[in-house]
């Protein structure tokens, strides 16, 4: 039997015979109250239609895809797929639905249904609509209907995007999905107990406490995320950098307007946090944990010296357990995998050279000059000015005053400038923790007593990086100085 997609008033004239094995397919895109009432109403009307058309009908099953879109290709309609499998297996010979668009809004799926009808003789019948796929005119009508349904879906998406742009420009809060820690589900009302936690954590991070130690403390105190789970370093870092906490409305990841809700932390505090997290000297991977280190020179202070590589060396112990630095080949590092150097002797050489350089009066004057060139407040003002420019550009783009390409080009240039300014803040912060006016002996004692992070601050203050090349002395177990190309800070 050829496929028939027909409305109930006409089906009795073309059904052909009774006693079909029926599938009832019901679907609604959005169940706002979660009670399934929409699909229940569909099922009731479909059952009435089936028994009117086919008194001897056998209803095999009800295939329910409640709260599921027929146009979203990213989400599988599991019961729809199960129904198709039952058609192919011969368990189902007829399908009843409420309307064509409940089954599909896509031409590709419609063609699949036509194939089932032509090859298996499957009957399709709808409560509403009258499209007979046995004829070329009926198939054309069905395809036009599916195309129109698809256009309606795309037009609705365009309207929704336009509405979201307008809301963003007005600074209205977006809510939905996971609740933002620090705010109620409405996205506007501050949860004061959570806000206090965020302010406390921000202060501790800016005092150079590691995220791992803070997360451990939060867990011990029973402080959980908005979903009720334990905090992780990566989620805490992401939360602190969320522009919403500083009262900013974003669109596609860009700040576009000041929000209409109360901020939890101020712009200056968040700018300092963002700069700190962006510092490659402290960013150790794994989501950027400011973590306790066992290696002095990880985080970009060592680079692979093989031609065409240049990737940062990563800390990695050998099979025997001795510490070392390697150029990792596996993702996400993407290095050449051909360079390894032992950590102990290299770190001792770096310490000696860095302390000698730091104790130099010429270098000391240069560092002091760098600290006094601009205050942190002045640099933060420049960052804020650049960010306000990005907001203005984003608003022009959202309002379609400039093209997306023009906005992206300007955004890249401005973000590069912000990155340079944040590097200045980080360098100034590193210098502020270092000793002043110490001679070589006192500096050596300071180094022996200082924690690893303070030692790293001293190294990064005067050393940009070391490029490590292949060994020049095969079989030599000591430190091959010829492998090292030192790049000092100006």
């Amino acid at each position: 039997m050829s496929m028939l997609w027909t409305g109930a008033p006409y089906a009795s004239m073309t059904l052909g015979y009774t006693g079909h094995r029926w599938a009832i397919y019901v679907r609604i895109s959005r169940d706002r109250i979660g009670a399934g009432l929409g699909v229940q109403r569909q099922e009731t009307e479909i059952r009435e239609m089936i028994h009117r058309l086919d008194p001897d009908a056998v209803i095999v099953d009800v295939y329910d895809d409640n709260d599921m879109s027929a146009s979203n290709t990213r989400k599988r309609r599991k019961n729809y797929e199960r129904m198709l499998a039952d058609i192919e297996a011969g368990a189902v010979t007829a399908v009843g639905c409420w309307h064509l668009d409940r089954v599909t809004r896509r031409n590709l799926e419609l063609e699949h249904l036509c194939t089932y009808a032509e090859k298996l003789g499957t009957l399709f019948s709808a409560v509403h609509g009258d499209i007979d796929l046995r004829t070329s005119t009926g198939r054309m009508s069905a395809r036009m209907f599916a195309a129109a349904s698809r256009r309606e879906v795309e037009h609705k998406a365009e309207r929704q995007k336009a509405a979201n742009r307008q809301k963003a420009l007005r600074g209205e809060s977006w809510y939905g999905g996971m609740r933002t820690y620090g705010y109620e589900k409405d996205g506007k009302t501050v949860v004061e107990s959570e806000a206090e936690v965020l302010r406390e954590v921000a202060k501790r991070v800016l005092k150079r406490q590691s995220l791992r130690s803070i997360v451990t403390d939060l867990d011990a105190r029973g402080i959980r995320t908005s979903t009720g789970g334990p905090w992780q370093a990566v989620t805490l870092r992401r939360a602190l950098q969320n522009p919403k906490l500083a009262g900013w409305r974003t669109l596609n990841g860009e700040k576009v307007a000041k929000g209409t809700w109360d901020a939890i932390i101020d712009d200056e505090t968040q700018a300092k946090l963002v700069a700190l997290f962006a510092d490659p000297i402290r960013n150790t991977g794994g989501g950027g944990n400011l973590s306790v280190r066992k290696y002095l020179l990880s985080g970009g202070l060592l680079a692979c010296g093989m031609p065409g590589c240049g990737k940062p060396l990563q800390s990695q112990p050998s099979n025997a357990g001795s510490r070392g630095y390697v150029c990792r080949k596996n993702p996400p590092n993407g290095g050449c995998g051909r360079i390894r150097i032992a950590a102990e002797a290299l770190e001792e050489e770096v310490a000696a050279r860095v302390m000698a350089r730091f104790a130099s009066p010429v270098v000391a004057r240069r560092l002091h000059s760098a600290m006094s060139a601009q205050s942190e407040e002045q640099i933060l003002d420049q960052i804020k000015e650049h960010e306000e420019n990005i907001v203005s550009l984003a608003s022009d783009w959202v309002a379609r005053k400039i093209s997306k390409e023009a906005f992206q080009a300007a955004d890249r240039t401005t973000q590069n400038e912000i990155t340079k300014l944040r590097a200045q803040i980080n360098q100034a912060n590193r210098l502020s923790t270092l000793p002043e006016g110490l001679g070589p002996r006192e500096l050596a004692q300071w180094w022996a007593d200082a924690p690893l992070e303070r030692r790293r601050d001293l190294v990064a203050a005067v050393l940009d990086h070391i490029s490590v090349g292949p060994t020049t002395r095969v079989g030599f177990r000591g430190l091959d100085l010829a492998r090292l190309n030192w790049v000092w800070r100006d």
Side-chain angles (χ1 to χ4, degrees), residues 141-412:
S141 297
R143 287 162 181 149
M144 290 175 62
F145 181 85
S149 295
R150 185 64 189 173
R151 189 263 179 193
E152 178 187 346
V153 169
E154 293 174 352
H155 186 51
K156 181 180 178 181
E158 290 172 352
R159 293 198 306 269
Q160 187 62 52
K161 287 181 180 179
N164 288 340
R165 284 196 294 267
Q166 293 302 317
K167 288 181 179 179
L169 289 173
R170 292 194 297 266
E172 295 181 17
S173 177
W174 181 89
Y175 60 93
M178 187 184 302
R179 179 177 70 85
T180 302
Y181 188 84
Y183 292 93
E184 296 284 5
K185 190 71 174 178
D186 62 9
K188 297 183 291 185
T189 307
V190 175
V191 180
E192 196 54 44
S193 59
E194 295 180 353
E196 285 301 317
V197 171
L198 290 169
R199 296 184 189 110
E200 172 201 328
V201 170
K203 291 178 181 178
R204 293 171 67 176
V205 170
L206 293 177
K207 289 181 179 178
R208 300 303 196 272
Q209 291 188 30
S210 73
L211 284 181
R212 288 182 183 176
S213 65
I214 296 173
V215 163
T216 300
D217 176 58
L218 294 179
D219 188 53
R221 291 158 57 185
I223 297 174
R224 297 291 185 262
T225 66
S226 61
T227 60
W231 282 101
Q232 302 292 333
V234 63
T235 54
L236 187 57
R237 167 185 169 151
R238 189 182 300 124
L240 292 172
Q241 294 186 104
N242 186 351
K244 184 180 180 68
L245 297 190
W248 282 100
R249 178 63 158 92
T250 60
L251 183 66
N252 298 329
E254 299 290 346
K255 297 178 182 177
V256 294
K258 263 296 185 179
T260 56
W261 60 91
D262 292 333
I264 292 177
I265 58 178
D266 56 53
D267 285 331
E268 182 176 331
T269 298
Q270 190 164 69
K272 291 179 180 179
L273 290 168
V274 171
L276 183 63
F277 288 131
D279 186 1
I281 300 302
R282 292 184 176 273
N283 191 331
T284 68
N289 304 343
L290 301 182
S291 57
V292 178
R293 294 174 179 271
K294 296 181 180 180
Y295 289 81
L296 178 66
L297 304 174
S298 58
L301 288 171
L302 298 178
C304 178
M306 292 299 295
C309 186
K311 297 291 185 179
L313 298 191
Q314 310 293 325
S315 55
Q316 180 175 302
S318 67
N319 292 334
S322 59
R323 296 186 310 116
Y325 299 96
V326 300
C327 181
R328 290 182 185 163
K329 189 174 183 178
N330 58 301
N333 306 290
C336 66
R338 299 169 60 186
I339 293 295
R340 177 180 179 86
I341 189 167
E344 299 293 344
L346 176 61
E347 290 176 357
E348 290 178 3
E349 181 69 21
V350 168
R353 295 200 184 198
V354 164
M355 283 189 285
R357 195 172 184 86
F358 188 79
S360 164
V362 175
V363 174
R365 285 195 297 270
R366 178 181 62 76
L367 294 177
H368 179 75
S369 175
M371 290 184 62
S372 59
Q374 287 191 94
S375 67
E376 184 174 288
E377 289 72 21
Q378 289 175 316
I379 298 175
L380 287 171
D381 285 342
Q382 292 180 53
I383 292 176
K384 185 176 182 180
E385 182 179 345
H386 283 304
E387 289 182 334
E388 288 173 349
N389 288 337
I390 293 176
V391 170
S392 178
L393 288 167
S395 298
D396 287 344
W397 168 49
V398 170
R400 303 182 187 276
K401 294 180 181 179
I402 61 174
S403 68
K404 181 179 180 179
E405 292 72 20
F407 165 70
Q408 290 177 333
D411 181 55
R412 282 193 297 270

Side-chain angles (χ1 to χ4, degrees), residues 78-95:
K78 294 183 179 179
N79 280 323
Y80 173 76
E81 294 175 359
R82 184 168 64 87
M83 181 183 72
L84 298 185
D86 287 346
I87 292 173
E88 292 180 358
V92 168
T93 62
V95 176

Side-chain angles (χ1 to χ4, degrees), residues 116-137:
Y116 288 131
E118 293 170 0
K119 293 186 176 182
L120 303 177
T122 309
L123 170 70
F124 288 77
S125 187
V127 174
H128 297 280
D130 183 19
I131 300 175
D132 187 350
L133 295 186
R134 295 175 302 177
T135 67
S136 60
T137 301

